[in-house]
Amino acid sequence: MGILEKIAQVEAEIARTQKNKATEYHLGLLKAKLAKYRTQLLEPQGKTSAKGEGFDVMKSGDARVALIGFPSVGKSTLLNTVTKTHSESASYEFTTLTCIPGVIDYNGANIQLLDLPGIIEGASQGKGRGRQVIAVARTADMVVMMLDATKGDIQKKLLEKELESVGLRLNKPRPNIYFKPKKGGGLSFNSTCALTMCNEKLIQTILHEYKIFNAEVLFREDCSADDFIDVISDNRVYLPCLYVYNKIDQISIEEVDRIAHLPHCIVISCELKLNLDYFLEKLWEYLGLICVYTKRRGEQPDFQDGIIMRRDCSVEHVCHAIHRSIASSFKYSLVWGTSVKYNPQRVGLLHTMKHEDVIQIVKK
C-alpha cells in the first residue's frame, strides 16, 4: 500500500470516528500517524528517488512574498500592476507555468514578489506541480493568497486545507510548548496552566507513535494535540498570510463590504486598479518592516537612503546592518523619533528602534 492510500485510509477513519471523551486517545494516535505519513510524502525516503525539477529563484531584496492561488484569479495581473516585471496573463487557466519574480519598491524597501503557477486541489500530494509551488512558499517571509471574489469562500477553505497538510501554518503563533527528547528517565510531563484539550496519557500515546519513550514536555499554554504534533515534527513553517479578493467589480457592494470586514482580508480589482495602495500598506504591515535613517555628526540626516530593518529591532541590529565591526567599537548612539521620550536621546545597544527613527552612532 502506497503512502497516498495510507493517508486516505487514516483520513477516512478520522472522519467516521465520533469525537468524545472515550475516543480522544484513538484520534490523537490517528492524527500522529497522519502527520508521519504526510512528512514521508514531502520528503521521500531512500536514495533511489529522482530529484524533481523545482523553481530555482534566488532570494533577493529585503523580504520575499509568495503569491498563491487557483488558476485565473489575477496573480499575474497583480504582478504586472505593482511591479515593473511582465508576466503573461490571459483569460485561460495555467497561463503561468513557472515562477516569475518581480520587485515592489515601497518605502525604500525592495520586496520580492513571486508569481507562482496556479495550484489545484490535491497539490499537497503532487498534482499539477503543487509540491514545487508549496516548496517555494515555505521559503517566503509571507504568503499572499489571491482569491476570486465571485467564487465566495470555497477557494479560501480549499487552499488553507492544502497548505495545512504540508506543514504551512498561516496567521498562527508558534505553540508555546517545550519539548526535548532524552536518552533515559521516561516521560517528564508538566504544565504551567490548566489543560482542557489534552492530558499526559494523550501526550504519551502520541509520543509512542513516534517511537519516543524518554522526553521532557512542558506546556506553557493550553494547546491541542495537533499543536503538540507540530512541535514534535519540527518541520512546520509559521507565516503571516493576507487574503486578497480580486475581481470585486463583478460582485455586489454588500458582498464587498462583507469580505472587507473578514479578518486578514482585503478587496482589490487589478483590472480597474482599485485599492492597490491599501494592499501595499497591508503588505508592509504584515512583513513587519521598518525604515531607519542614519545621520553623521554635524550634518543633516540622510533621508534618501534608509536602512530597512525588521520590527522590534535593536540599535545593535542597526549597527550590524551598517557594518559588522561597528558594534564592537560602539560607545553610544543618539536617536530622534517615536521610540524615544525626547529628541535626541542617548541610548545603548539594547534600545528598540521604530519606523522612521534617525540614529547617530558614536564610536569609542
Side-chain angles (χ1 to χ4, degrees), residues 72-73 148-151 245-253 255-256 259 268-272 274:
S72 284
V73 290
D148 192 336
T150 59
K151 302 275 175 71
Y245 284 84
N246 189 23
K247 305 181 185 179
I248 56 164
D249 49 313
Q250 297 175 22
I251 57 171
S252 65
I253 194 73
E255 182 67 5
V256 171
I259 293 169
I268 64 163
S269 172
C270 293
E271 198 68 36
L272 302 177
L274 297 174

Side-chain angles (χ1 to χ4, degrees), residues 71-327:
S72 284
V73 290
K75 297 187 296 297
S76 299
T77 314
L78 179 69
L79 185 86
N80 293 342
T81 313
V82 296
T83 71
K84 292 172 184 173
T85 311
H86 176 71
S87 178
E88 191 66 40
S89 57
S91 57
Y92 55 87
E93 295 188 345
F94 296 106
T95 319
T96 307
L97 297 172
T98 184
C99 179
I100 295 164
V103 176
I104 302 171
D105 187 18
Y106 186 73
N107 281 354
N110 290 328
I111 302 166
Q112 188 183 41
L113 187 67
L114 301 178
D115 178 20
L116 295 165
I119 64 175
I120 54 172
E121 204 177 340
S124 57
Q125 294 164 9
K127 287 184 186 174
R129 298 196 81 185
R131 267 191 220 164
Q132 288 99 315
V133 172
I134 289 162
V136 172
R138 286 173 75 95
T139 65
D141 298 304
M142 175 187 168
V143 170
V144 169
M145 199 181 280
M146 282 290 280
L147 304 160
D148 192 336
T150 59
K151 302 275 175 71
D153 294 331
I154 307 160
Q155 289 190 343
K156 182 182 169 186
K157 286 171 186 168
L158 285 170
L159 279 172
E160 277 180 338
K161 190 185 168 191
E162 289 296 326
L163 297 177
E164 188 92 8
S165 63
V166 293
L168 270 171
R169 301 287 177 262
L170 305 175
N171 296 324
K172 272 187 187 175
R174 201 176 285 275
N176 197 353
I177 301 170
Y178 172 75
F179 170 71
K180 187 183 179 183
K182 297 188 296 185
K183 288 183 179 175
L187 175 67
S188 165
F189 178 83
N190 284 301
S191 64
T192 58
C193 59
L195 299 179
T196 58
M197 291 182 274
C198 57
N199 55 32
E200 189 172 350
K201 190 183 171 187
L202 179 59
I203 297 304
Q204 205 165 13
T205 309
I206 292 167
L207 287 171
H208 282 193
E209 178 58 36
Y210 279 90
K211 305 283 189 290
I212 299 169
F213 303 99
N214 306 295
E216 203 176 321
V217 179
L218 174 63
F219 276 68
R220 295 194 183 98
E221 62 181 8
D222 190 14
C223 295
S224 64
D226 293 319
D227 292 331
F228 182 62
I229 290 165
D230 287 351
V231 171
I232 300 169
S233 302
D234 198 30
N235 63 350
R236 305 298 189 240
V237 179
Y238 295 84
L239 293 175
C241 177
L242 190 61
Y243 302 100
V244 179
Y245 284 84
N246 189 23
K247 305 181 185 179
I248 56 164
D249 49 313
Q250 297 175 22
I251 57 171
S252 65
I253 194 73
E254 292 81 18
E255 182 67 5
V256 171
D257 189 55
R258 184 191 71 82
I259 293 169
H261 283 89
L262 293 172
H264 310 294
C265 294
I266 65 164
V267 289
I268 64 163
S269 172
C270 293
E271 198 68 36
L272 302 177
K273 294 184 171 57
L274 297 174
N275 214 23
L276 292 175
D277 50 348
Y278 182 63
F279 163 69
L280 293 174
E281 265 180 52
K282 294 299 279 182
L283 202 66
W284 178 268
E285 184 193 317
Y286 273 64
L287 284 167
L289 298 174
I290 62 166
C291 186
V292 176
Y293 300 108
T294 54
K295 177 188 179 302
R296 289 174 184 270
R297 189 181 291 180
E299 292 180 21
Q300 288 294 313
D302 179 15
F303 289 119
Q304 297 302 313
D305 192 18
I307 302 167
I308 305 298
M309 304 295 297
R310 296 280 168 180
R311 196 185 294 142
D312 299 327
C313 69
S314 65
V315 172
E316 190 175 2
H317 293 131
V318 177
C319 290
H320 286 306
I322 298 167
H323 195 274
R324 62 180 181 273
S325 67
I326 290 178

Side-chain angles (χ1 to χ4, degrees), residues 3-15:
I3 294 172
L4 288 174
E5 288 83 9
K6 285 179 183 175
I7 288 172
Q9 199 176 13
V10 174
E11 280 177 340
E13 195 172 342
I14 289 173

